[in-house]
Each structure stands twice: as C-alpha cells, then as structure tokens.
Amino acid sequence: MRNKLNVLFICGWYPSRVLTNNGDFIQRHAEAVSLKQNVSVLHIITDKNCTKNIEFTSKKTNGIQTHIAYVKKTNSRVVKLIQFCRAYLILLKKVKPFDVVHLHELYPFGLFALHLKWLQKKPFLISEHWSGYLTPKLKNRTFFQKIILNLITKNASFICPVTQNLADSMQHFGLKGNYIPVPNVVDTKLFLPKKKEENEFTIIHISNMVPLKNVPQMLQVAKKLEIEIGAFTWKFIGEKIDGFSSLIKDLQFKTANIHFINHIAHKELVKEIQNANVLVLFSDYESLPCVILEAFSCGIPVISTDVGGIKEYFPHNFGFLIETGNKKELLEKIKQTQQQKLATSKEMHAYAKSNFSKEAIATIFSDLYNKALKIKY
C-alpha cells in the first residue's frame, strides 16, 4: 500500500475565532480528504481584537492540523498585504513537509500557491466555491487582478469548482485551466433519514438570511399558504427574528407557526432537517448550497430556485426547481409537495452517499493529487 500523501490546504475561508462558521464547507473537504491522506490547513484572517500585529494558533481540530494567523486590523492595503505575507511565511515554517497544495479561494491566496510551485516545485489544485464568479453577479476586477487570476489558474494542475455552471462562469470570465468540477461534502453518516412523527406540515429554510435569500418574499408566500391550507410550521434557521419582526407583525399570521432560529450546531441542524417535510430555498443566485445536499441525505425533498449549478445535482423526483422570484410557483410547489409522490428517503440518501459523502469526495481528490504528482497506480 502506498504511503499517504501530505496535503496542505491553503484557505482564504475557514472556521476561526473570528468567524466560527466561515468556510465550514472547506473544513468538510479537509475532513473528507483526511480519510485517505494527511492534511494540514493554513489560514490567515484579519482580527480587529488582535493586540499584536500577528497572533498564531496551531491545533488539531477533527483530525486536521490547523494553523491560523490572526492579523491586526489596518486601513492600509499595503500594510495588510505585508502582514499577510509575513504571517504566511511564519505559518509555512510550522507546517510539516507536504507533497501537494490544495488551494481554496483563488485570489489573493493563490499567490501563496504560486510561490510554493515556483520556489518549492509543489503542484497545486484549486477548489472554488465563490458564487461571485457566477455570470449574473460577476464582480469587477482590476486589470492587474485579472492578470494575477489568469496566472494562478494557468499554473494549477486542476481547477475544481463545485459545479460545472461555476466552471463555465469562471472560463467566461477568462480564467483558463484544466477544469474538473467536484461538489461539496455531506457527512452522510450524520445526515440520515429518520421516520417522521405525524406532526403538522413543516417547511424549513436554512441560510444567513442576507437579501439575496429573499426571506421577506418567503414570508409573503407563507401568508398565502396559511390562507389556503391553514395550519403549518415554517422554520427559518440561521438568523434571529429581529430583522423580520415588523413584516411578520404586518402579515398577521393566525394559524401558521413561523419560527426564526439563530445559528445552531450541525448535530442540531440534522434533527431540524429530519423533522421537516420540505426544504425551501428562494435565492437570487447560488453555487451549490450544502443544505440542499444535506436535505437529500436526510431523505427530505427540496424546492429551490433554478440558479447556479443546483440542477446538476438535482434528480427530477427529489423536489422542484422553480423560476427565480416566482412567488406564485413557490406556493404551488409547496402544496404539490404535500400531494405528489416523490423519491423515497432511502433513494435520496443513497444518491447523496454516492455523490457527496466524505469517502466519495476523498477518492476524487486523491486521484487528482496523484495525477498532479504524476504518481502511477
């Protein structure tokens, strides 16, 4: 048996003391890869509470050796760049010898991947999750940034966006390279189907509740649903009710139970999904939301706007894809979910396990690492 490879994750996003859930989908990628390889993480983030210019932590989290640098906040871009580079070089000395780099977030952390390729001859892969590359919301970049982005992608062994749609958008943006989409990870041993109790019809929405998620529009649909079917429960998980209490008061719900639940741990989230009848996303744009894959793993159908690469991993009988902003269609599909026979929970879970489990993703990335290193089986 070949020895395990040593893989260095360089991450622009990753859970830390500043943002405890930022980039948790990258953490799940790291945990998946660690089933077959040795993984270390290098992450740098600005911390307004830093008393020193740079503070360092190194600890093992969920089996991953994690090295994080916290940089003191500054309004100077030049100072910030210098501090980030200093932090990177110091963290690099803390990392055990590695064979291959796995980059998460193309810019600016891709500069560190280039440094390692050019000076240490370490090949690198890129995983990209950022919906900002999607054509409808394509962000403006300076001419200099576009040159750097192209330099990074051209030097990568593989570029692995989470969907083909994101890959197409990145190439449309002019980023050339060897694209192989690899989806997000689901802990299919945690997100399991569960027999439901005979409670009232329950809808669930999980997000950070930013404007593009269209929570007010979903609340308006909830009011119309109440008028048509009477009692049901709709849980909004990820934010407190504060920003929506005025609208809820105006809508005057009588029989519908509308609950807002602040962010909860993964184990608690599993219970909420398992006890729901349907997950609803009504976003203006997305890449590949982990919550959809987690719902499938729990055997729960999904209603989502047909945006980003969602349809690439959405079997026809697992729920419904609807037009962006179409509240009437959302209402009809919620009612249809109550009536139409969809795939069984067992079928949904089996699909999730085959495509998004830690084992499945670890196998894909391990194969790409070997190809990048030109290791033959």
Side-chain angles (χ1 to χ4, degrees):
M1 179 182 288
R2 182 181 291 117
N3 292 332
K4 289 184 175 182
L5 297 174
N6 296 307
V7 183
L8 174 62
F9 271 48
I10 296 181
C11 309
W13 302 330
Y14 206 78
S16 68
R17 74 187 190 195
V18 178
L19 297 168
T20 55
N21 301 298
N22 187 43
D24 55 356
F25 44 86
I26 297 174
Q27 184 178 37
R28 291 196 283 273
H29 264 164
E31 291 171 3
V33 170
S34 70
L35 294 179
K36 293 180 176 290
Q37 316 297 348
N38 300 316
V39 179
S40 297
V41 168
L42 187 158
H43 175 54
I44 308 169
I45 187 169
T46 298
D47 185 354
K48 65 181 181 181
N49 295 316
C50 268
T51 55
K52 301 178 182 178
N53 286 333
I54 309 174
E55 297 176 12
F56 301 94
T57 63
S58 294
K59 61 181 180 180
K60 208 160 193 175
T61 305
N62 298 338
I64 309 297
Q65 192 62 46
T66 306
H67 306 280
I68 300 179
Y70 298 94
V71 176
K72 191 174 184 178
K73 185 176 175 61
T74 175
N75 293 324
S76 170
R77 291 185 179 182
V78 174
V79 172
K80 182 177 179 179
L81 175 62
I82 292 171
Q83 296 291 59
F84 267 58
C85 289
R86 282 186 58 211
Y88 159 71
L89 292 172
I90 294 170
L91 285 182
L92 200 58
K93 293 178 181 178
K94 299 176 180 288
V95 174
K96 292 181 180 179
F98 54 92
D99 303 298
V100 62
V101 173
H102 194 148
L103 172 67
H104 292 261
E105 192 186 17
L106 192 52
Y107 183 87
F109 282 75
L111 293 170
F112 300 145
L114 280 179
H115 167 259
L116 292 171
K117 180 173 183 179
W118 290 344
L119 271 70
Q120 296 190 24
K121 309 300 180 185
K122 303 294 185 183
F124 70 93
L125 281 67
I126 301 169
S127 276
E128 189 55 72
H129 314 255
W130 190 45
S131 58
Y133 286 111
L134 296 175
T135 303
K137 291 286 182 180
L138 204 58
K139 300 291 179 80
N140 291 326
R141 295 283 192 175
T142 66
F143 177 73
F144 173 75
Q145 287 173 336
K146 288 180 179 179
I147 292 175
I148 297 300
L149 286 168
N150 272 289
L151 194 59
I152 295 167
T153 54
K154 286 179 181 178
N155 277 275
S157 298
F158 301 100
I159 306 167
C160 306
V162 290
T163 66
Q164 183 61 50
N165 176 260
L166 183 53
D168 293 342
S169 292
M170 291 175 71
Q171 291 175 88
H172 179 73
F173 187 59
L175 303 179
K176 307 301 180 185
N178 189 7
Y179 284 81
I180 299 179
V182 180
N184 284 319
V185 176
V186 175
D187 187 345
T188 53
K189 294 179 181 178
L190 179 63
F191 289 87
L192 292 165
K194 176 188 173 185
K195 187 175 181 180
K196 291 181 182 57
E197 298 175 3
E198 291 299 323
N199 294 325
E200 67 183 15
F201 186 69
T202 300
I203 305 164
I204 190 171
H205 170 81
I206 305 164
S207 77
N208 54 5
M209 312 289 174
V210 294
L212 68 92
K213 304 295 183 177
N214 294 318
V215 174
Q217 290 87 335
M218 284 187 279
L219 288 170
Q220 291 164 3
V221 170
K223 181 59 183 179
K224 292 182 179 179
L225 184 65
E226 180 188 61
I227 293 170
E228 296 196 23
I229 73 169
F232 66 91
T233 296
W234 195 327
K235 295 182 179 181
F236 293 83
I237 299 178
E239 188 57 79
K240 294 179 181 178
I241 196 171
D242 301 2
F244 308 99
S245 55
S246 177
L247 175 58
I248 291 173
K249 184 178 180 180
D250 291 342
L251 290 171
Q252 297 182 350
F253 289 100
K254 295 179 175 64
T255 56
N257 297 306
I258 307 297
H259 300 288
F260 276 77
I261 303 170
N262 206 1
H263 180 83
I264 55 178
H266 244 55
K267 289 184 179 179
E268 293 302 313
L269 185 63
V270 174
K271 296 176 184 177
E272 295 290 354
I273 296 175
Q274 288 173 333
N275 291 324
N277 296 98
V278 61
L279 170 79
V280 168
L281 289 184
F282 199 52
S283 307
D284 289 332
Y285 68 95
E286 293 279 2
S287 182
L288 182 62
C290 290
V291 292
I292 289 180
L293 313 183
E294 290 164 349
F296 289 161
S297 191
C298 288
I300 303 302
V302 174
I303 300 171
S304 172
T305 43
D306 187 4
V307 293
I310 291 174
K311 63 184 174 185
E312 297 172 32
Y313 298 102
F314 203 106
H316 76 279
N317 60 339
F318 279 27
F320 305 100
L321 292 174
I322 63 176
E323 181 184 16
T324 308
N326 193 328
K327 292 187 288 185
K328 182 178 179 181
E329 188 178 14
L330 174 57
L331 177 63
E332 292 305 312
K333 293 306 180 185
I334 291 174
K335 292 189 294 181
Q336 198 170 333
T337 302
Q338 291 182 288
Q339 303 159 0
Q340 184 171 330
K341 187 176 182 181
L342 298 169
T344 66
S345 58
K346 185 177 180 180
E347 290 170 332
M348 291 185 185
H349 180 75
Y351 173 78
K353 186 175 180 180
S354 296
N355 291 276
F356 316 118
S357 67
K358 290 182 178 180
E359 292 79 7
I361 301 303
T363 297
I364 295 171
F365 279 132
S366 294
D367 180 56
L368 294 178
Y369 298 148
N370 287 329
K371 288 179 179 177
L373 292 163
K374 297 181 172 56
I375 296 175
K376 296 181 179 180
Y377 293 96

